[in-house]
Amino acid sequence: MSDLLERLRGRGWRLTAQRRVVAEVLDGDHVHYTADEVHALAAGRLPEISRATVYNTLGELVSLGEVIEVSTDGRAKRYDPNAHHDHQHLVCSQCGTIRDVHVHGDPLTALPEPERYGFQVSEVTVTYRGICPNCSGTSS
Amino acid sequence: MSDLLERLRGRGWRLTAQRRVVAEVLDGDHVHYTADEVHALAAGRLPEISRATVYNTLGELVSLGEVIEVSTDGRAKRYDPNAHHDHQHLVCSQCGTIRDVHVHGDPLTALPEPERYGFQVSEVTVTYRGICPNCSGTSS
DNA sequence: TTCTTGACTTAGACATTGTCCAATGTAGGA
DNA sequence: TCCTACATTGGACAATGTCTAAGTCAAGAA
């Protein structure tokens, strides 16, 4: 993740202990933490870090395009550091587990011109839902 | 909308003034109100209706499959009565306007088998984002 | 029609998630 | 090392949604 920190510093990002810890927490391939989870994990390494700072830092990472904001359930947003590989999400309707998935083709092309109503369409998010193997096995 | 009310009564839904008003507010083709908006509009006709009842009723309509819950922005959920026609959403990133749109093909088929990781995938939501004609004209 | 009863509604407390602000601290350049 | 603009903090506040206990009422029964 020092890649990320280097890149950010190059963009004039001031590097503080708090920001470093947040970036470290978000290091990983299939990470989808809520802000609260990030705060708890960050506080494990830097106990005095405040919620406001975590929210600020996450917001900046999103603006900088280093992290994607995902809201799959209308509850807390989740933060996905896998921003440099185009992907979609597969969510378990029962336990909420999230997986990154890759689809055939570009979903943008599936929206016909007349269905764009003059919008400059620039982005598309696709969320698949279903029951994960874990939940379908242990039928509650 | 008496269609809807009839259908619901047929399913043993107890019909009250409050539920009737909520259903009436949701009548329409391109309606995407938040719970609060539904409450405000319903209160216009039935001033003493409570927030809790609106939330309860919306939740029931969703369970019954008569209304779809849409969360496009991580803020308040919106309620879309257009549940019997498969469609997706096109959202203005600036003003938040929502349009119902129809895509080519079934987005479910774009997810290859090996990318399903054993999930029983049953649902997919696609959200397009861009700038609407209104917002791109009046560049702020 | 009137009665009865279980389901519905209400008000407001509470929970969760996120935002804002004034005071304080500090990274990094000079 | 010193400065200063930017970052952090804690706590109040805001927005959205959930829960509960007590009162109310729709709809079937008689």
Side-chain angles (χ1 to χ4, degrees), chain A residues 33-45:
Chain A
Y33 292 135
T34 64
D36 241 32
E37 288 166 349
V38 172
H39 179 237
L41 290 165
R45 309 192 192 193

Side-chain angles (χ1 to χ4, degrees), chain A residues 111-121, chain B residues 30 88-90 97-102 131-134 136:
Chain A
L111 187 65
E113 187 53 39
E115 287 287 290
R116 300 193 179 200
Y117 298 102
F119 280 56
Q120 296 162 25
V121 181
Chain B
H30 296 292
Q88 311 301 336
H89 292 112
L90 170 56
T97 291
I98 303 179
R99 292 213 58 136
D100 290 357
V101 295
H102 300 270
I131 306 295
C132 75
N134 231 328
S136 74

Side-chain angles (χ1 to χ4, degrees), chain B residues 55-130:
Chain B
Y55 276 103
N56 287 343
T57 305
L58 289 173
E60 278 156 20
L61 290 172
V62 170
S63 306
L64 293 169
E66 297 291 346
V67 164
I68 291 171
E69 216 172 55
V70 181
S71 49
T72 52
D73 61 349
R75 310 286 306 274
K77 291 174 192 162
R78 293 180 172 274
Y79 293 88
D80 179 348
N82 189 12
H84 296 297
H85 297 80
D86 221 19
H87 67 280
Q88 311 301 336
H89 292 112
L90 170 56
V91 181
C92 177
S93 324
Q94 206 152 108
C95 67
T97 291
I98 303 179
R99 292 213 58 136
D100 290 357
V101 295
H102 300 270
V103 303
H104 282 319
D106 181 356
L108 261 184
T109 64
L111 186 65
E113 186 53 37
E115 288 287 292
R116 300 192 179 200
Y117 299 100
F119 280 57
Q120 296 163 24
V121 181
S122 57
E123 196 187 330
V124 56
T125 63
V126 183
T127 305
Y128 296 91
R129 275 168 227 284

Side-chain angles (χ1 to χ4, degrees), chain A residues 57-123:
Chain A
T57 305
L58 289 172
E60 279 156 19
L61 289 172
V62 170
S63 306
L64 292 168
E66 297 291 346
V67 165
I68 291 171
E69 218 172 52
V70 181
S71 50
T72 53
D73 60 351
R75 311 287 305 276
K77 291 175 193 161
R78 294 180 172 272
Y79 294 88
D80 179 347
N82 189 12
H84 297 297
H85 296 81
D86 222 17
H87 66 279
Q88 311 300 337
H89 292 112
L90 170 57
V91 181
C92 176
S93 324
Q94 206 153 106
C95 67
T97 292
I98 303 179
R99 292 214 57 136
D100 291 356
V101 295
H102 301 270
V103 302
H104 282 320
D106 181 357
L108 262 183
T109 64
L111 187 65
E113 187 53 39
E115 287 287 290
R116 300 193 179 200
Y117 298 102
F119 280 56
Q120 296 162 25
V121 181
S122 57
E123 196 187 331

